[in-house]
Amino acid sequence: MDMENRPYWFRRLLWVLILLGSAFALYIVRNTLIPLFISMLIAYLLTPLADYLEHRGFGRILAITTTFFLFFGLIVLVVLYLFPLIRDQVVDLTTALPRTLALLNTRIDDLQARLAVYWPAIQEVDVGVRIQKAALDTLNALPTYVANAFSIFPLLILVPLISFFFLKDGRRIKRGFFNSVPNRYFETVMGLTYEVDQKIGNYVRGQLLRSVVIGFLTYFGLKICGLKYALLLAIFAGVMNLIPYAGPFIASIPAVILAILHQSTPQALLPFVSPLPLVVHVILVYLMVQTLDAIWVAPYILGWSVDIHPLGIVLVLLFGNQLFGWWGIILAVPAASIIKLTVQAVSNRYRFYPT
Amino acid sequence: MSRSEKTDPAPSLQWMWANIFRKGDADQVAIRESIEKIPLFQDLTKKELRRVEQSLYLRKYRADSFIFQAGEPGLGMYIIHAGSVWIQRPEEAVSDDSEPFLELGPGDFFGEMALFEENFHLVSARAHTHTALLGFFRPDLMTLSHYYPRLGCKLLLALGRVISDRFRASLTGGPGRA
């Protein structure tokens, strides 16, 4: 009954077994973890507003309901507003694709012909046809791919539901948890929970704000350049920014390709002012957005950073992809940062102990 | 920290059963009565008292168990709801039977310095008998003073008064508390 009297190795072994067991249990239910995790992020995002309203004299329930409907109402409005635009851009992109590909093909043939002067063997490779085939295959698979990978409909129901209850009962859940902690660990656990809570909250709110800022900056930059599909590309950039290092780079690839293939729209002002080709403008936009992010947005919003080694990030992304697919890639680094914050806080606190 | 049970198990069992079947509301009433008498919360209005009360944690300790030990990081203060607590200096805590540096009873509180600074406990606190404590911790003090600055001011002033009283007492060599 008294754990203190058991031998040291026994306690160690027990902990290891408990950890392994929990990891395995989590692995089995991993498909449920995504909506749970997203709901948790939303709860972190909304808690300050709900608390503020509550302390302004709203009742707890009224404060939460208000916050909740404001948030999801805003999302619905944004989606309703953006959806036609996005749909138009997607349709436009799809119908324009054969022409775009043909254009790409002639460019590649051109390049091949020029290179063949120095390296005749290159004439044999059918680069254009291969690219065309790959692009068309990807495009044809896109609808099912998106539907499968993001399986959005269960999320649409689960996420609001779970986040509502997190928001409503989070405090009670926490209190119940504290009450169940043995006296010996009580203060430690409570201090830790508070610390981790604060840090995760700041991180989540910071990252989201950052993505939004990046999206806006990219949108206006591309609009000024006169690149088509600015909205799609900006949303993509905002989401991709959650992935460190590779994200911004990946975000810029489609924009650069589109810029190479398309002339700017006639109503854009910049091309008449500057003699540089569109692609240079687009690259400059992405570079400027990244610079602004590095010197202004990230330090200001995040304040402190969760440093994960680049190799660690690559591994985390791979694990995320393997376990959770696309969601895994997008949410891997936030999840890993949260885990790292927790571990840091725990080890910091344990360093205090004399034993 | 392992410590053999000195008291025989029967009273502790009774105490546990008595508490399991106690209603939450009864606890709440008892807590309210308990904190209304504490000088620290004297200046608070009824409404403010209720807010403080909601951020308190009721913790129960068996006789002879540690509440905290010297060297552990401190997070807040404890108000004695029932029972008695021995405060021991680290060198005293080595042997069980040594006289305590201080013995505290219901209505007393200790650990209030931890509300201000994240630092080690300088002394150990041990439940002398079965003891129920009301914990009041830094995160909750911060939250309270963030959302209710007026309440925060009152609490901080009262805490400052308590600490300066104790400091004065320690300088003049008098007893540490009223």
Side-chain angles (χ1 to χ4, degrees):
Chain A
M1 183 181 149
D2 195 1
M3 282 300 281
E4 305 287 335
N5 298 333
R6 305 277 185 172
Y8 182 68
W9 64 264
F10 180 82
R11 273 189 282 159
R12 259 293 152 85
L13 189 69
L14 204 66
W15 274 114
V16 169
L17 285 179
I18 288 171
L19 280 178
L20 280 179
S22 340
F24 184 63
L26 284 181
Y27 177 75
I28 290 174
V29 298
R30 67 186 182 282
N31 288 331
T32 323
L33 292 182
I34 292 288
L36 215 58
F37 188 69
I38 296 175
S39 311
M40 189 190 89
L41 295 186
I42 292 177
Y44 269 113
L45 195 69
L46 298 184
T47 302
L49 181 60
D51 283 354
Y52 176 80
L53 288 179
E54 187 191 351
H55 294 105
R56 285 272 118 175
F58 284 55
R60 180 78 188 151
I61 293 292
L62 186 61
I64 287 163
T65 329
T66 311
T67 316
F68 193 75
F69 281 108
L70 270 179
F71 178 72
F72 283 97
L74 192 71
I75 285 191
V76 167
L77 278 184
V78 167
V79 168
L80 284 182
Y81 174 72
L82 288 184
F83 186 72
L85 291 174
I86 294 174
R87 190 195 52 206
D88 288 350
Q89 296 206 344
V90 169
V91 169
D92 194 21
L93 192 67
T94 324
T95 48
L97 196 79
R99 207 155 37 86
T100 310
L101 283 175
L103 197 63
L104 188 69
N105 228 342
T106 52
R107 294 275 166 93
I108 287 171
D109 284 347
D110 244 26
L111 194 68
Q112 253 179 338
R114 260 190 274 170
L115 282 177
V117 177
Y118 311 99
W119 190 23
I122 205 168
Q123 202 83 62
E124 306 294 317
V125 189
D126 245 343
V127 185
V129 174
R130 279 197 206 174
I131 290 182
Q132 202 158 1
K133 191 176 176 305
L136 283 176
D137 282 353
T138 314
L139 197 71
N140 286 334
L142 203 62
T144 45
Y145 197 52
V146 170
N148 285 346
F150 284 77
S151 53
I152 216 110
F153 288 102
L155 289 183
L156 284 184
I157 298 161
L158 277 178
V159 166
L161 193 77
I162 301 176
S163 49
F164 180 78
F165 281 108
F166 272 170
L167 209 56
K168 178 174 163 291
D169 292 329
R171 217 178 286 169
R172 205 186 307 169
I173 295 171
K174 237 182 276 175
R175 249 191 122 78
F177 169 66
F178 287 147
N179 283 335
S180 73
V181 172
N183 284 333
R184 203 185 135 190
Y185 305 107
F186 174 65
E187 271 192 53
T188 312
V189 169
M190 198 196 166
L192 254 178
T193 312
Y194 180 71
E195 201 181 323
V196 170
D197 221 37
Q198 291 268 307
K199 287 188 168 173
I200 294 177
N202 286 341
Y203 177 80
V204 169
R205 289 186 284 273
Q207 281 292 358
L208 191 92
L209 191 58
R210 194 176 160 204
S211 277
V212 170
V213 171
I214 298 274
F216 268 102
L217 287 176
T218 312
Y219 178 72
F220 288 119
L222 293 180
K223 259 298 189 225
I224 291 170
C225 289
L227 186 68
K228 280 180 170 179
Y229 317 118
L231 187 65
L232 269 185
L233 291 168
I235 293 173
F236 187 57
V239 174
M240 279 297 125
N241 209 68
L242 293 174
I243 305 170
Y245 305 113
F249 184 67
I250 295 171
S252 68
I253 291 175
V256 170
I257 292 177
L258 283 173
I260 293 174
L261 296 175
H262 287 269
Q263 298 303 317
S264 61
T265 48
Q267 63 266 40
L269 200 63
L270 192 64
F272 298 104
V273 180
S274 145
L276 296 169
L278 180 60
V279 60
V280 178
H281 290 151
V282 168
I283 291 175
L284 277 178
V285 163
Y286 277 86
L287 283 178
M288 273 161 69
V289 169
Q290 279 311 305
T291 314
L292 280 178
D293 174 53
I295 63 175
W296 177 63
V297 184
Y300 181 72
I301 289 181
L302 294 179
W304 46 274
S305 62
V306 195
D307 291 323
I308 301 178
H309 192 274
L311 183 66
I313 284 182
V314 171
L315 286 178
V316 160
L317 290 177
L318 290 176
F319 291 155
N321 181 36
Q322 194 157 23
L323 283 174
F324 303 110
W326 273 103
W327 283 114
I329 294 182
I330 293 171
L331 299 177
V333 173
S337 307
I338 287 173
I339 292 170
K340 184 165 181 187
L341 280 176
T342 312
V343 171
Q344 262 175 355
V346 172
S347 65
N348 260 343
R349 199 156 278 270
Y350 266 90
R351 212 172 299 149
F352 275 117
Y353 277 96
T355 43
Chain B
M1 227 172 291
S2 72
R3 191 165 290 280
S4 58
E5 201 65 30
K6 279 203 309 188
T7 45
D8 64 318
S12 100
L13 268 179
Q14 278 170 15
W15 186 77
M16 272 174 64
W17 282 116
N19 280 289
I20 283 169
F21 291 115
R22 223 158 94 185
K23 281 266 164 56
D25 288 342
D27 270 358
Q28 217 54 39
V29 170
I31 289 173
R32 192 165 299 171
E33 282 168 2
S34 181
I35 65 169
E36 269 171 1
K37 281 180 240 150
I38 291 165
L40 195 59
F41 300 136
Q42 253 172 5
D43 299 340
L44 305 188
T45 62
K46 275 256 162 5
K47 209 171 172 183
E48 288 169 335
L49 260 180
R50 198 135 341 118
R51 278 174 189 148
V52 170
E53 180 191 304
Q54 278 164 4
S55 8
L56 295 177
Y57 288 87
L58 181 67
R59 307 288 303 179
K60 289 158 184 172
Y61 296 81
R62 284 191 293 183
D64 214 27
S65 63
F66 273 107
I67 295 146
F68 54 74
Q69 284 189 295
E72 287 178 0
L75 194 68
M77 58 174 275
Y78 292 92
I79 300 156
I80 302 176
H81 184 51
S84 81
V85 169
W86 280 16
I87 303 291
Q88 290 170 309
R89 292 200 175 102
E91 62 271 16
E92 293 167 337
V94 176
S95 79
D96 284 351
D97 309 319
S98 58
E99 276 299 296
F101 167 56
L102 266 177
E103 181 167 357
L104 305 178
D108 289 334
F109 53 93
F110 56 95
E112 69 283 342
M113 269 159 74
L115 283 174
F116 294 100
E117 37 150 38
E118 199 160 346
N119 217 332
F120 313 114
H121 283 297
L122 288 172
V123 292
S124 302
R126 235 169 81 195
H128 181 49
T129 57
H130 296 315
T131 300
L133 300 177
L134 295 167
F136 182 49
F137 301 103
R138 203 185 311 130
D140 294 310
L141 176 64
M142 294 302 156
T143 312
L144 279 178
S145 23
H146 179 80
Y147 287 116
Y148 310 107
R150 193 181 298 233
L151 169 59
C153 271
K154 285 184 185 174
L155 283 176
L156 290 175
L157 263 177
L159 281 164
R161 209 153 46 221
V162 165
I163 287 176
S164 80
D165 273 358
R166 292 194 180 172
F167 184 59
R168 189 182 292 269
S170 77
L171 282 182
T172 55
R177 65 200 63 245

